[in-house]
Amino acid sequence: MQKEDLVQCHNRIAPYIHRTPVLTSRLIDKMAGAELFFKCENFQRMGAYKMRGATNAILQLSEGQRSKGVVTHSSGNFAQALTLAAKSLGVKAFIVMPTSAPRVKKDAVLEYGGKIIECEPTLEARKAAALKIEAEMGTTFIHPSNSVNVIIGQGTACMELLEEHPDLDFIVVPVGGGGLIAGTALAAHYFGNKCKVIGSEPFAVDDAYRSLQSGKIELNKTTDTIADGLKTNLGDKNFPLIRKYVNSIIRVTEEEIVEAMRLIWERMKIIIEPSSAVAFAAVLNEKDKFKNKKVGIIISGGNVDLKKLPF
Amino acid sequence: MQKEDLVQCHNRIAPYIHRTPVLTSRLIDKMAGAELFFKCENFQRMGAYKMRGATNAILQLSEGQRSKGVVTHSSGNFAQALTLAAKSLGVKAFIVMPTSAPRVKKDAVLEYGGKIIECEPTLEARKAAALKIEAEMGTTFIHPSNSVNVIIGQGTACMELLEEHPDLDFIVVPVGGGGLIAGTALAAHYFGNKCKVIGSEPFAVDDAYRSLQSGKIELNKTTDTIADGLKTNLGDKNFPLIRKYVNSIIRVTEEEIVEAMRLIWERMKIIIEPSSAVAFAAVLNEKDKFKNKKVGIIISGGNVDLKKLPF
């Protein structure tokens, strides 16, 4: 993947996404002892950066492929992203979701015009259901995080951030399936000025931390975290990029995630989801590392259930 | 009050306030059937537009007056605003607060370095305590909403909004003590292009609605509303401006306020307080009036207790 791939991707998806603002806060900077730049993908269409990768993946399909629709398995933000991107481009979207998925997530997909295919709540059942649709209908499967076109799309958030603040010392992003951090690391490599990319993870799902240590993809043993977007594992497309370009991973506790989320809600008056708070928690957690540095933080999304807040 | 007073005020306070962003949302526009422009004073310093008026009021004092400090009675946003403005300008601030004021409000004043004077929880006791400080120490009393310098300061939010969007048909603002709506109406008169200013109030505290009907200042009989910033009454400085320049007042129910607040939190991912939601609720409530019009809405503040949400 070259610099030009990112530039072309950004031009390709620009008409379908928001250019999100970069916010700053003197109070938050004072608390962190660093200069922080929040790239607000919670203000992105459908409320998360996933809109970028989903849009790019569909735009890279041929006319013939598009006519047969796209399919993915996700109960989170990528389901909404693929559905909305498909709708914007006049393409059918099939979303495989476990029967146990919350009503609110299903409603969001239906609202954007997606078709839900229900399956048993296991990873195997989800994969099988998606494969079946692919085989029977010729629909193209788009993976939420382990797809080159998705990774490049997610990298455009970092491109925009570095365009406005080219001299960032660090960019910190949450790590779930690895699509965002791989795209960010690629973009920081091509557009940053010695900008280091750092991942952040809850201790409860620290598969990326352990994978970087062992040199192979490690799996999560539990999924017991409030950061519901970060429970998935890395993949063979994004892990090599993470190994090559990511500086390190910082792990944080559940208490630190909730406290970081509360601080951003209270002080910056923006709604971010727990997964996004993980990145800010990492900066608060290792203050010495970031002291007086310019640090970009990608606020990955703002989709929360207001009836189930941790405060 | 002339156009020039507003221009000079804006120049005077600019170094001490944020120029807040104007946000838009396609989804919200679709729901309202109008083009809405949200002036986000929830992103203002200390989280509300009150910072503007408080800063202007202190900057208009003489050196001698400043050396003796300022005093106000408020248990809400103006207490924090006057304290932070005073701190920025090296002036002492005394805040009269009822013994019953929530701990979180007191802490906010103390955090900014203000001195709290406690009194009984009645309006008479608050006034008496403030007068005592004024008399004994030569401290200048600054009223939260019924002061010319405060009113002009609050008007600068509307000035900025009209600078960016000069062709707004309407601006809708919540009405509490009347400082914001009086300043807004004045600014719309001088800087708008036939822009009508509309106030919005909860039915439970519809003193402004009744005052415009009777032609004299009416009082609230109850204070039973979630919009805690709107319980106060109009004053003799702002009411004449409201009578002269405000088009009308729209009243909304408590349910409509909560629903409007929820929509903005969920769809725009920003934190606004119930008082701010009243203005958006008014637009949703009279869709015919605003149909296909360009409507500015001043999001007055974002200070909420996350432990006591109405969702």
Side-chain angles (χ1 to χ4, degrees):
Chain A
M1 281 168 267
Q2 305 302 312
K3 192 173 185 173
E4 192 54 29
D5 293 325
L6 279 155
V7 174
Q8 284 178 6
C9 168
H10 195 247
N11 291 337
R12 189 182 301 128
I13 67 175
Y16 306 99
I17 60 163
H18 290 326
R19 178 156 187 136
T20 53
V22 177
L23 297 186
T24 60
S25 160
R26 280 186 267 186
L27 270 168
I28 294 277
D29 283 2
K30 212 171 145 190
M31 281 178 205
E35 215 178 325
L36 306 188
F37 300 86
F38 294 89
K39 173 69 172 169
C40 287
E41 288 292 298
N42 53 333
F43 296 157
Q44 186 53 265
R45 291 184 69 196
M46 55 63 56
Y49 73 92
K50 302 243 173 189
M51 189 64 193
R52 298 173 181 268
T55 303
N56 191 46
I58 298 178
L59 283 169
Q60 290 291 67
L61 299 179
S62 68
E63 281 302 318
Q65 287 173 313
R66 286 198 212 180
S67 71
K68 289 174 180 167
V70 289
V71 59
T72 196
H73 51 70
S74 162
S75 55
N77 283 331
F78 195 74
Q80 289 179 56
L82 194 69
T83 313
L84 182 58
K87 188 186 177 190
S88 298
L89 298 164
V91 171
K92 271 180 292 191
F94 301 90
I95 310 295
V96 175
M97 277 185 148
T99 45
S100 59
R103 187 75 249 166
V104 57
K105 302 262 183 189
K106 291 184 187 173
D107 286 347
V109 166
L110 295 174
E111 193 185 332
Y112 291 137
K115 184 162 170 46
I116 293 173
I117 289 94
E118 293 202 323
C119 70
E120 291 303 304
T122 67
L123 191 57
E124 290 69 35
R126 283 161 69 165
K127 282 183 184 168
L131 276 173
K132 189 161 172 263
I133 294 166
E134 201 176 9
E136 287 178 3
M137 304 171 65
T139 308
T140 304
F141 177 72
I142 315 265
H143 193 282
S145 55
N146 197 40
S147 140
V148 169
N149 289 327
V150 168
I151 292 168
I152 292 175
Q154 317 304 32
T156 58
C158 173
M159 272 178 72
E160 292 177 5
L161 175 57
L162 285 169
E163 207 172 282
E164 289 175 43
H165 301 282
D167 54 349
L168 295 180
D169 300 300
F170 293 96
I171 294 180
V172 185
V173 290
V175 191
L180 177 63
I181 194 170
T184 301
L186 207 59
H189 171 69
Y190 287 124
F191 301 97
N193 180 14
K194 295 177 187 165
C195 173
K196 290 181 183 136
V197 170
I198 291 182
S200 58
E201 265 183 338
F203 274 102
V205 289
D206 65 348
D207 58 313
Y209 177 84
R210 288 181 286 110
S211 300
L212 277 190
Q213 287 208 318
S214 71
K216 62 185 177 60
I217 296 174
E218 303 286 347
L219 303 182
N220 285 314
K221 288 153 193 164
T222 68
T223 56
D224 195 19
T225 176
I226 191 182
D228 54 348
L230 309 185
K231 295 176 179 181
T232 44
N233 296 294
L234 304 178
D236 63 339
K237 303 281 197 301
N238 56 51
F239 184 53
L241 293 167
I242 295 170
R243 281 192 81 179
K244 190 167 177 186
Y245 295 120
V246 169
N247 179 272
S248 58
I249 308 273
I250 296 174
R251 294 175 298 171
V252 296
T253 66
E254 296 300 302
E255 292 69 31
E256 288 167 338
I257 296 168
V258 173
E259 176 61 11
M261 183 170 158
R262 193 182 61 75
L263 280 173
I264 291 192
W265 282 49
E266 281 188 355
R267 303 298 172 139
M268 296 184 68
K269 314 294 181 194
I270 60 173
I271 289 176
I272 67 167
E273 56 195 44
S275 303
S276 301
V278 171
F280 178 51
V283 173
L284 291 179
N285 209 8
E286 297 213 7
K287 285 193 181 171
D288 284 350
K289 188 181 192 90
F290 300 107
K291 198 174 160 71
N292 297 328
K293 299 291 186 187
K294 294 192 174 193
V295 184
I297 291 179
I298 297 187
I299 296 293
S300 49
N303 292 331
V304 291
D305 186 343
L306 294 178
K307 288 190 168 51
K308 293 180 185 165
L309 297 178
F311 311 118
Chain B
M1 282 167 267
Q2 305 302 311
K3 193 172 184 173
E4 193 54 28
D5 293 325
L6 279 154
V7 174
Q8 284 177 7
C9 168
H10 195 246
N11 291 336
R12 189 182 301 128
I13 67 175
Y16 305 99
I17 61 162
H18 289 326
R19 177 154 188 138
T20 54
V22 178
L23 298 186
T24 59
S25 161
R26 280 186 269 185
L27 270 168
I28 293 277
D29 283 1
K30 211 171 144 187
M31 280 176 207
E35 215 178 328
L36 307 188
F37 300 86
F38 294 90
K39 174 69 170 168
C40 288
E41 289 293 297
N42 52 334
F43 295 157
Q44 186 53 267
R45 292 183 70 195
M46 55 62 57
Y49 72 91
K50 302 241 175 191
M51 189 64 195
R52 298 174 180 268
T55 303
N56 190 47
I58 299 178
L59 282 170
Q60 291 290 68
L61 299 179
S62 68
E63 281 303 316
Q65 287 173 311
R66 286 198 212 181
S67 72
K68 290 175 180 165
V70 289
V71 60
T72 195
H73 51 69
S74 162
S75 56
N77 283 330
F78 196 74
Q80 290 180 56
L82 194 70
T83 312
L84 181 58
K87 188 185 177 192
S88 297
L89 298 165
V91 171
K92 273 181 291 190
F94 300 90
I95 310 295
V96 176
M97 278 184 150
T99 46
S100 60
R103 187 75 250 164
V104 57
K105 302 263 182 189
K106 291 185 186 172
D107 286 347
V109 166
L110 295 174
E111 193 186 333
Y112 291 136
K115 185 163 168 46
I116 293 174
I117 290 92
E118 292 202 323
C119 71
E120 292 302 305
T122 67
L123 191 56
E124 289 70 32
R126 284 161 69 163
K127 281 184 184 167
L131 276 173
K132 188 160 174 265
I133 295 167
E134 201 176 8
E136 287 177 4
M137 305 169 65
T139 308
T140 304
F141 177 72
I142 315 266
H143 192 282
S145 54
N146 197 39
S147 140
V148 170
N149 289 328
V150 168
I151 291 168
I152 292 176
Q154 317 304 32
T156 58
C158 173
M159 271 179 73
E160 292 177 4
L161 175 57
L162 285 169
E163 207 172 285
E164 289 176 42
H165 301 282
D167 54 350
L168 294 180
D169 301 300
F170 294 96
I171 294 180
V172 186
V173 291
V175 191
L180 178 63
I181 194 169
T184 301
L186 206 59
H189 171 69
Y190 287 124
F191 300 97
N193 180 13
K194 296 179 187 163
C195 174
K196 290 180 183 137
V197 170
I198 292 182
S200 57
E201 265 183 338
F203 274 102
V205 290
D206 64 348
D207 58 314
Y209 177 85
R210 286 182 286 109
S211 300
L212 276 190
Q213 287 207 319
S214 72
K216 63 187 178 59
I217 297 175
E218 303 286 346
L219 303 182
N220 286 314
K221 287 153 195 165
T222 68
T223 55
D224 194 19
T225 177
I226 191 181
D228 54 347
L230 309 184
K231 294 175 180 181
T232 42
N233 295 297
L234 304 179
D236 62 340
K237 303 280 197 301
N238 56 50
F239 185 53
L241 293 168
I242 295 170
R243 280 192 82 180
K244 190 165 177 188
Y245 295 120
V246 169
N247 179 271
S248 57
I249 308 272
I250 296 174
R251 295 175 298 171
V252 296
T253 66
E254 296 300 302
E255 292 70 31
E256 288 167 339
I257 297 169
V258 172
E259 176 61 10
M261 182 169 160
R262 193 181 62 76
L263 280 174
I264 291 192
W265 282 48
E266 282 189 354
R267 303 297 172 141
M268 296 184 69
K269 314 295 181 194
I270 60 172
I271 289 176
I272 67 166
E273 56 194 46
S275 303
S276 301
V278 170
F280 178 50
V283 173
L284 291 180
N285 209 7
E286 297 213 9
K287 284 192 182 172
D288 284 349
K289 189 181 192 89
F290 300 106
K291 197 174 161 70
N292 297 328
K293 300 290 185 186
K294 293 190 175 199
V295 184
I297 290 179
I298 298 188
I299 297 292
S300 49
N303 292 332
V304 290
D305 186 342
L306 293 178
K307 287 189 170 51
K308 292 181 185 166
L309 296 178
F311 309 118

